[in-house]
Amino acid sequence: MTEDSTDDSTAMQAGFDALIAGDERVEPRDWMPEGYRKTLIRQIAQHAHSEIIGMQPEGNWITRAPSLRRKAILMAKVQDEAGHGLYLYSAAETLGIDRSELLDLLHAGRQKYSSIFNYPTLTWADMGAIGWLVDGAAIVNQVPICRCSYGPYARAMVRICKEESFHQRQGFEILWTLSHGSPAQRAMAQDAVNRYWWPSLMMFGPPDTGDGASPSGHTAQSMAWGIKRFSNDELRQRFVDMTVPQAEALGLSLPDPEIRWNEERGSYDFGEIDFTELFEVVKGNGPCNAERMAHKVKAHEDGAWVREAAAAYAAKRESAVA
Amino acid sequence: MTMPALATYALRLGDDALVLSHRLGEWVTNAPQLEEDVALANIGLDLLGQARTLLSYAGDVEAAGRTEDDLAYLRDEREFLNVHLVERPNEDFAVSMARQLLFSTYQLALYERLQDSADPTLAGMAAKAVKEVDYHRDHATQWVLRLGDGTDESHRRMQAGLERLWPYVDEVFGTDDLEQSLVADGIAVDASTLRAGWDGYVDGVLAEATLTRPEGTRTPPGGGRRGIHTEPMGFLLAEMQHLHRAHPGASW
Ligand SMILES: [Fe+2]
Ligand SMILES: [Fe+2]
């Protein structure tokens, strides 16, 4: 390496640092440290994979939706999630990696998706619980990413968050209708909330401190880079504070006897989360990990001949034009 | 109690849209690529919207207090009036794209004419839906071209998909006294008059896609328009209706 290029890289690093320090956006054409690029690829890919694996638990109920209006809303929602996947894969592609490579990594189990989607959707009320709690938690996680230092990711998040808030309202409305319906519908709603409450809290990831905390260096680096803005526990608390009054409005209880308002903190206290469950699900031992991956891989493999045909057809057109 | 002819006609068209929309819903999360999950859901949603308009209208015309959901969820198989083509299973992507091409080419021609119906509700539905179905036909056309003129495997599958569904085409263009009575009032379109235009378009696509137009037809005894269906229809309805029926009178 010549001295010139060392000067160049120092200058480039300084330029990057200035963008971050000034809370400006880093764009694909800008130089960025390799670690920043890798961290973003991992995070955006995991986010994209979550959108598309997340289509499965809800897609599971499209053919059984109990009214035509609900069927239309659910189909549109699952379609939105596919759209979110598309925006996010495009954002990842600006970092120099193809969607097909990312899908291969997912299918090989080398990249992850949100553990929440490894829980089964057993009743119609689960469509309500997912919209209200899972999309609700996603919003809390994602709103700060609208200000992420990486421009394409931040812009994708702005579009996505708008739609997620629709989804959350629709989920709330499903549960509202059920909780004001027949005793059987009400029981269905309560059961869904009981099953989805704790896994939703786990969506914010491991605790900031103590056993199972994620390596603090990671979080600190992501914060310094402006990729992460708040800690897992801060976001989790924000979600609890937002959700407890909504549960009261629904007339449904949350399966945690320790939830109570803490005047001093100005927040709700809540019970201890069993993170061993989260770690088991992350390791692949959740209720539906194998099914979700098998479904995804099967769709991909079944579609291989279609994608090959499209590529072959496009190549023929191109050579005909040339 | 017999339904007024207009209500029956609206149900026939509504059931076509409802059942095909359901089949497209089955594709979601199973498509060959993410863009197709989006596109198939989109087409399914368009059809579902048309179905809701048509079923609601059938209920209004019948004036017996039945809603779109009563009609979708509480009728038995023998009361469904869709053609067989739309209820045929998805099988592979080629079969599904054949079904889309064959049906949407018919439906586009139908809606184009129905825009001039003397019935303002049918005319309004058709005027809105014609833009949607124009896209559906284009989407199917593009795929039939890609698959027909893609690889050896896709060509073979696309030809097989056409062969599979061709027997269900003739029924789509069947007409009967009920339809004719509404044609006489300027309300309905005589489906048999749409065949020549359909042949022209489909033949053009097949030729460009290097596919061969299949031979052979099948005139189903009774037929979907009179509530006689193919075996997969019962399973489709069982899945679609079970939750709604398990909670009589509930709102969702
Ligand atoms: Fe999403
Ligand atoms: Fe969502």
Side-chain angles (χ1 to χ4, degrees), chain A residues 47 50-51 77 80-85 88 117 135 138 142 160 163-164 167:
Chain A
H47 194 159
S50 301
E51 298 285 356
K77 185 191 175 195
D80 284 348
E81 306 302 1
H84 298 173
L88 287 163
F117 301 119
D135 287 82
Q142 291 170 6
I160 290 173
E163 293 180 351
E164 300 299 11
H167 298 166

Side-chain angles (χ1 to χ4, degrees), chain A residues 55 63-72 78-79 99 124 177 185 295 305-307 309 313 316-317, chain B residues 22 28-30 32 35 38 42 45 52 69 73 143 146 149-150 153-154 157 239-240 244 251-252:
Chain A
M55 293 164 66
T63 55
R64 293 178 289 171
S67 75
L68 297 185
R69 175 172 165 264
R70 291 290 177 204
K71 187 173 187 164
V78 178
Q79 186 192 29
R99 192 207 311 181
W124 171 253
T177 308
Q185 287 178 303
H295 183 121
W305 69 272
V306 176
R307 296 188 301 274
Y313 179 81
K316 283 185 204 178
R317 294 308 97 174
Chain B
H22 187 93
V28 177
T29 75
N30 294 302
E35 286 82 352
V38 174
N42 198 22
L45 276 168
R52 293 181 65 189
D69 285 340
Y73 291 96
W143 273 112
R146 286 184 200 115
D149 195 17
E153 181 182 10
S154 71
R157 285 183 185 251
E239 190 169 335
M240 184 172 101
H244 184 98
S251 322
W252 300 95

Side-chain angles (χ1 to χ4, degrees), chain A:
Chain A
M1 199 184 252
T2 67
E3 258 173 57
D4 271 4
S5 69
T6 311
D7 286 350
D8 275 359
S9 68
T10 313
M12 290 188 292
Q13 178 74 49
F16 174 82
D17 291 345
L19 284 179
I20 299 290
D23 205 11
E24 289 175 67
R25 301 286 87 92
V26 178
E27 295 299 334
R29 62 175 181 276
D30 296 329
W31 180 90
M32 62 190 83
E34 197 50 24
Y36 177 83
R37 199 181 70 91
K38 283 206 172 114
T39 300
L40 274 170
I41 287 177
R42 188 170 27 81
Q43 184 172 334
I44 298 173
Q46 174 162 341
H47 194 159
H49 299 331
S50 301
E51 298 285 356
I52 61 168
I53 298 292
M55 293 164 66
Q56 287 183 39
E58 293 184 282
N60 189 31
W61 280 89
I62 288 176
T63 55
R64 293 178 289 171
S67 75
L68 297 185
R69 175 172 165 264
R70 291 290 177 204
K71 187 173 187 164
I73 292 172
L74 182 61
M75 238 166 136
K77 185 191 175 195
V78 178
Q79 186 192 29
D80 284 348
E81 306 302 1
H84 298 173
L86 285 172
Y87 306 157
L88 287 163
Y89 285 122
S90 303
E93 286 184 336
T94 64
L95 293 159
I97 187 159
D98 281 351
R99 192 207 311 181
S100 61
E101 290 174 71
L102 295 172
L103 286 174
D104 288 344
L105 290 167
L106 171 68
H107 298 156
R110 291 178 51 211
Q111 283 184 339
K112 299 207 177 302
Y113 56 89
S114 175
S115 289
I116 192 73
F117 301 119
N118 289 316
Y119 290 85
T121 50
L122 303 176
T123 72
W124 171 253
D126 291 9
M127 299 304 97
I130 288 187
W132 176 46
L133 295 173
V134 175
D135 287 82
I139 292 168
V140 171
N141 260 330
Q142 291 170 6
V143 164
I145 305 176
C146 297
R147 296 189 293 119
C148 165
S149 60
Y150 189 57
Y153 190 27
R155 287 189 289 273
M157 274 345 289
V158 172
R159 294 174 72 176
I160 290 173
C161 282
K162 259 184 222 154
E163 293 180 351
E164 300 299 11
S165 58
F166 273 115
H167 298 166
Q168 202 228 359
R169 249 177 286 162
Q170 288 160 354
F172 183 89
E173 202 213 327
I174 288 175
L175 289 177
W176 172 273
T177 308
L178 294 175
S179 71
H180 292 77
S182 70
Q185 287 178 303
R186 197 186 152 70
M188 194 191 279
Q190 184 62 60
D191 170 62
V193 170
N194 291 349
R195 282 182 290 110
Y196 272 93
W197 172 250
W198 290 106
S200 301
L201 292 187
M202 295 176 201
M203 284 175 69
F204 298 92
D208 295 347
T209 54
D211 282 353
S214 57
S216 54
H218 271 185
T219 309
Q221 182 62 80
S222 283
M223 294 245 190
W225 276 333
I227 297 173
K228 199 170 167 60
R229 301 274 177 182
F230 301 97
S231 78
N232 293 353
D233 285 336
E234 284 172 312
L235 293 169
R236 191 165 8 243
Q237 182 69 58
R238 191 175 291 183
F239 174 69
V240 171
D241 290 345
M242 175 183 99
T243 308
V244 171
Q246 292 174 358
E248 282 163 12
L250 284 170
L252 296 171
S253 63
L254 295 171
D256 178 358
E258 292 177 44
I259 290 180
R260 65 180 56 84
W261 179 250
N262 182 326
E263 194 64 57
E264 216 171 294
R265 293 200 304 121
S267 272
Y268 286 93
D269 291 337
F270 54 98
E272 203 175 319
I273 299 170
D274 176 13
F275 280 106
T276 52
E277 177 177 326
L278 174 65
F279 302 137
E280 279 305 307
V281 180
V282 169
K283 262 193 278 171
N285 301 325
C288 299
N289 296 58
E291 286 91 336
R292 297 291 183 245
M293 283 311 295
H295 183 121
K296 181 75 189 65
V297 170
K298 181 179 189 307
H300 190 73
E301 288 175 354
D302 286 353
W305 69 272
V306 176
R307 296 188 301 274
E308 283 158 20
Y313 179 81
K316 283 185 204 178
R317 294 308 97 174
E318 207 150 292
S319 64
V321 172

